[in-house]
Amino acid sequence: MSNIKKLSDGVYLKIIPLKGNPLKSINIYMVKSKGYTMIVDTGFNTEEIREEMLSFIEDMGVDLSKTILFLTHLHSDHTGLATWFHKELGVKIYMGDIDYRIMSSMTDANSKRWKSVMETTHLQGLDEDNLKIEEHAGFRYRPKAEFPYVSFNPDYILRVGDFTFKGMDFSGHTPGMIGLYEESKKILFCGDHLLGDITPNITFWDFTVGDSLGMYLKNIEELRDLPIDHLYSSHRALIEDVPKRIDELKEHHNHRIDEALKTLKSKGKCTVRDIAMNMNWDMRAKDFSEFPNTQKFFAAGEAHAHLEHLRAIGKVNFEKDEDGVLWYYAL
């Protein structure tokens, strides 16, 4: 149990490596109270992480008949082992309806959802990069089959022994991420909503979801005055000063917004790829063209989210060329 840390009464953490991924690791939490257990998220769908999760369960003496799994959002580093939890461990799974619907449409490798992801790369002007869906981390490590779940949405209540959690709307990073807030203990499990050492990826989903960045900025601001003694996020170091981190994240995205707008004003009409190429990234690569393909999906998605936010606030617009590629321009 040397790699398991007790964070507060009844709350434990195991940091599981995500080898070969820029995220480096994921924080997996366990809440134990009065014989009941809740595990928060799963890690990727790999044999290595499955062994890490089994070790966590065994080391903590978990009674699986009194255990639930809570999935904060649809990304594969949070849901990858969900089918295994259901089929092999018999654990009941709780998740928000919005993200479950999206995630369940991605279990099939040939689904419309994955085809839509590739169609979006065309809209973004990424054809020259020859991206393949097999290079997308969300595709490679996803749960391979649907699983039954218990619907858990904002304002729902979930009890685990002495803990009473309320669902919170953390949409933005994904269309329907859900946080868990324990008011009496001032504990918040926030998934990827607030991260300490890195910034959550805010991506363009589709035009139905719309301005994901605007949604995210609104929802992080609503945490500013929430009484929080323990903020438990999913990656890297834990955050101690929540208002300070909110300000840092807002400043980061304002800088990104300025980068995109300045590029459009100086260069004229640009594709999403053009904008991504002119943004500064914390990557060990000379420029966007040298990014690993798996990271081009995420970089373009983030650039696109900032362009769509600019469009939502009336500062840019786009037109489609005859091939269906989007060209954004400043107003």
Side-chain angles (χ1 to χ4, degrees), residues 208-269:
T208 302
V209 172
D211 180 16
S212 54
L213 177 58
M215 192 184 306
Y216 176 74
L217 294 173
K218 171 182 174 293
N219 283 334
I220 62 168
E221 184 60 38
E222 291 183 359
L223 289 186
R224 187 178 296 277
D225 298 321
L226 188 71
I228 302 170
D229 285 346
H230 306 285
L231 180 69
Y232 298 138
S233 53
S234 293
H235 300 284
R236 312 284 187 90
L238 302 185
I239 298 165
E240 295 183 2
D241 189 334
V242 174
K244 179 183 177 183
R245 188 56 182 154
I246 290 170
D247 289 338
E248 290 170 347
L249 289 168
K250 291 178 74 173
E251 182 180 356
H252 165 81
H253 288 293
N254 286 333
H255 176 70
R256 279 270 189 256
I257 290 165
D258 289 342
E259 279 186 312
L261 193 55
K262 286 177 182 176
T263 299
L264 290 174
K265 287 181 176 179
S266 64
K267 296 181 178 294
K269 293 178 182 177

Side-chain angles (χ1 to χ4, degrees), residues 22-169:
L23 289 170
K24 297 184 180 179
S25 62
I26 184 168
N27 299 331
I28 298 295
Y29 298 99
M30 186 180 290
V31 176
K32 295 195 73 179
S33 179
K34 291 188 172 180
Y36 293 91
T37 301
M38 176 177 69
I39 298 169
V40 181
D41 293 330
T42 76
F44 286 138
N45 186 5
T46 69
E47 181 65 30
E48 188 172 26
I49 294 177
R50 190 157 50 243
E51 291 301 318
E52 290 273 11
M53 190 64 73
L54 271 177
S55 174
F56 193 17
I57 290 168
E58 291 169 1
D59 288 345
M60 293 298 296
V62 170
D63 180 350
L64 290 173
S65 69
K66 296 181 179 180
T67 298
I68 63 171
L69 172 66
F70 183 83
L71 302 176
T72 57
H73 62 291
L74 65 88
H75 286 147
S76 61
D77 55 321
H78 297 259
T79 62
L81 293 176
T83 304
W84 172 77
F85 263 91
H86 165 64
K87 287 188 174 180
E88 301 300 324
L89 304 184
V91 170
K92 187 178 291 187
I93 300 171
Y94 289 69
M95 189 175 183
D97 289 334
I98 294 173
D99 271 21
Y100 180 83
R101 283 195 295 269
I102 297 173
M103 186 219 61
S104 64
S105 72
M106 302 175 92
T107 55
D108 181 355
N110 298 309
S111 69
K112 289 182 180 179
R113 174 64 63 173
W114 288 116
K115 290 176 182 176
S116 175
V117 169
M118 295 309 298
E119 288 166 1
T120 297
T121 66
H122 173 71
L123 290 178
Q124 295 168 337
L126 294 172
D127 286 358
E128 65 186 272
D129 297 288
N130 298 311
L131 304 185
K132 296 177 175 58
I133 198 63
E134 293 80 11
E135 298 168 318
H136 195 296
F139 179 88
R140 291 169 62 192
Y141 301 119
R142 73 195 189 280
K144 299 299 195 297
E146 292 183 50
F147 50 84
Y149 79 111
V150 178
S151 173
F152 189 84
N153 297 309
D155 296 326
Y156 285 26
I157 299 298
L158 177 58
R159 293 182 174 86
V160 182
D162 285 331
F163 291 77
T164 300
F165 294 102
K166 179 180 178 181
M168 297 193 69
D169 176 11

